[in-house]
Amino acid sequence: MNGRRGAMTTSLVDSYAYCQQLAKRTAGNFYYSFLALRKEQFQAMCVLYAYMRLVDDLGDSPEHSFEERAAALSRWRNGLQQALENRSDTDCQQYHACFPAVLDMIQRYEIPEHYFFDVITGVESDLQPVTFDNFEHLADYCYHVAGVVGLCCIHIWGFHDERALDASIDCGLAFQLTNILRDLAEDADLGRVYLPQEDLNRFDYSPADIEARMYDQRFRNLMQFEVDRARSYYQRSERLFEYVSPEGRRILKAMHQIYGGILNEIERLDYQVYATRAGLPRWRKLLIAGEALVASRWFPGKAAR
């Protein structure tokens, strides 16, 4: 459950290399879009991805019981807290191999430490069956599992306006809503119904209908409502392009194209997410990542929109 471990004396080089290998192995096309950044930013994005992936894996490993996963996340939280408190004491404790790079990234890019604890809280909330009474509660969950990731990203990319903070939270919300709509049936099998009860009530649809894969006009109306809501957050997050560095805009554009493309595909399928997993073909995702990379090489100072 704890993954690879190493002493805090693990060199930064080794720690960064560990994170980069994990990102290369598991991040898919996003890894190649990271290459559009400057070397230091690329390395930091690999560290950020590795941290988020490791936390998510601790909470989402079906071969372990709820108690085991909760205990693993608690150990991770305590380990991170100790590492932050003892960052100048290299001999006092054993830490995960990613932590030296994580601590260096936090300091280098002045990322608020609480973001890294917030995401643990978000993953912990998925351990038990999930339901939300209203959209406000869902939005709070989305902040913890996606919004904080966006906030970390803009610190790495660089931003020049404090309005980027709210815009990045909106962006994370748009992406997470897309994931929720795509994975509706799969999540229900795990006891997770992310769509707010107030929305289900509005369209006379129920969690039991989701479990039964009830595809009818009620469901299509519900999904159209949710797709429209997600699209409104994509539109709100467009302002983030104005606030981040040119390098960040290229990655942001790629992410908008990939997640926005998934949302469009859900709509194209007439919301039949029970029978088909909506997504973009690999060639298209590679093309999007490649465009970001080419733009960074040929037009390093120009914004991507």
Side-chain angles (χ1 to χ4, degrees):
M1 286 290 290
N2 292 325
R4 174 179 169 180
R5 298 179 66 87
M8 185 58 89
T9 52
T10 299
S11 72
L12 273 179
V13 172
D14 289 344
S15 186
Y16 272 101
Y18 168 79
C19 293
Q20 183 174 336
Q21 286 302 312
L22 179 60
K24 186 175 183 179
R25 188 172 68 251
T26 61
N29 302 301
F30 284 122
Y31 174 83
Y32 298 101
S33 67
F34 295 165
L35 293 168
L37 297 166
R38 297 195 305 272
K39 179 180 179 180
E40 297 80 5
Q41 293 173 318
F42 163 76
Q43 292 174 330
M45 286 296 294
C46 288
V47 173
L48 178 63
Y49 176 87
Y51 177 88
M52 299 299 176
R53 177 60 184 257
L54 289 164
V55 173
D56 188 63
D57 285 349
L58 288 177
D60 202 28
S61 50
E63 69 274 16
H64 294 93
S65 69
F66 159 76
E67 291 79 10
E68 289 172 326
R69 286 177 281 161
L73 287 167
S74 179
R75 287 193 298 270
W76 185 275
R77 182 190 296 275
N78 292 335
L80 178 61
Q81 186 63 55
Q82 292 172 5
L84 289 165
E85 292 173 355
N86 303 316
R87 68 180 75 202
S88 61
D89 185 352
T90 60
D91 298 318
C92 68
Q93 182 72 349
Q94 294 286 317
Y95 300 109
H96 192 279
C98 80
F99 279 3
V102 170
L103 299 186
D104 184 68
M105 174 188 63
I106 288 173
Q107 183 175 18
R108 185 184 300 269
Y109 293 98
E110 300 181 345
I111 305 175
E113 295 172 1
H114 72 85
Y115 293 162
F116 296 86
F117 294 97
D118 287 345
V119 75
I120 300 172
T121 299
V123 172
E124 286 173 333
S125 70
D126 273 332
L127 295 180
Q128 302 265 26
V130 176
T131 59
F132 297 106
D133 291 335
N134 53 51
F135 180 69
E136 181 180 357
H137 293 162
L138 172 60
D140 181 69
Y141 165 79
C142 290
Y143 161 80
H144 282 87
V145 298
V148 292
V149 180
L151 291 167
C152 291
C153 285
I154 64 172
H155 279 80
I156 293 171
W157 301 341
F159 63 95
H160 59 81
D161 192 308
E162 291 298 310
R163 288 176 291 183
L165 301 175
D166 286 339
S168 67
I169 293 174
D170 286 340
C171 192
L173 182 52
F175 294 165
Q176 191 63 26
L177 289 175
T178 301
N179 286 338
I180 287 170
L181 297 178
R182 180 194 62 193
D183 300 334
L184 202 62
E186 177 183 333
D187 289 332
D189 289 341
L190 297 172
R192 302 169 183 171
V193 179
Y194 293 104
L195 297 185
Q197 187 61 49
E198 65 178 7
D199 294 355
L200 297 176
N201 292 342
R202 180 197 295 259
F203 295 98
D204 192 27
Y205 204 76
S206 70
D209 290 326
I210 297 176
E211 293 177 12
R213 310 313 199 245
M214 190 67 68
Y215 179 75
D216 54 20
Q217 191 57 48
R218 295 174 304 153
F219 179 71
R220 288 192 290 272
N221 291 341
L222 168 65
M223 289 292 285
Q224 181 63 68
F225 175 79
E226 302 295 351
V227 166
D228 288 345
R229 169 183 276 161
R231 193 159 281 133
S232 73
Y233 278 95
Y234 278 98
Q235 292 170 351
R236 289 174 59 164
S237 69
E238 287 279 341
R239 58 200 167 122
L240 187 56
F241 283 99
E242 302 173 19
Y243 308 141
V244 298
S245 68
E247 297 91 348
R249 291 172 205 160
R250 297 186 189 104
I251 305 299
L252 183 61
K253 179 183 178 182
M255 296 176 76
H256 261 255
Q257 288 178 321
I258 290 174
Y259 282 98
I262 294 171
L263 193 68
N264 291 338
E265 182 67 8
I266 290 172
E267 200 166 38
R268 189 191 70 78
L269 292 169
D270 197 23
Y271 315 114
Q272 181 48 292
V273 294
Y274 291 145
T276 305
R277 181 179 172 85
L280 302 184
R282 179 171 172 77
W283 67 264
R284 186 174 171 190
K285 290 187 286 187
L286 284 171
L287 180 62
I288 291 170
E291 287 176 349
L293 181 58
V294 169
S296 71
R297 297 295 185 265
W298 287 91
F299 309 104
K302 295 185 181 295
R305 286 301 301 271

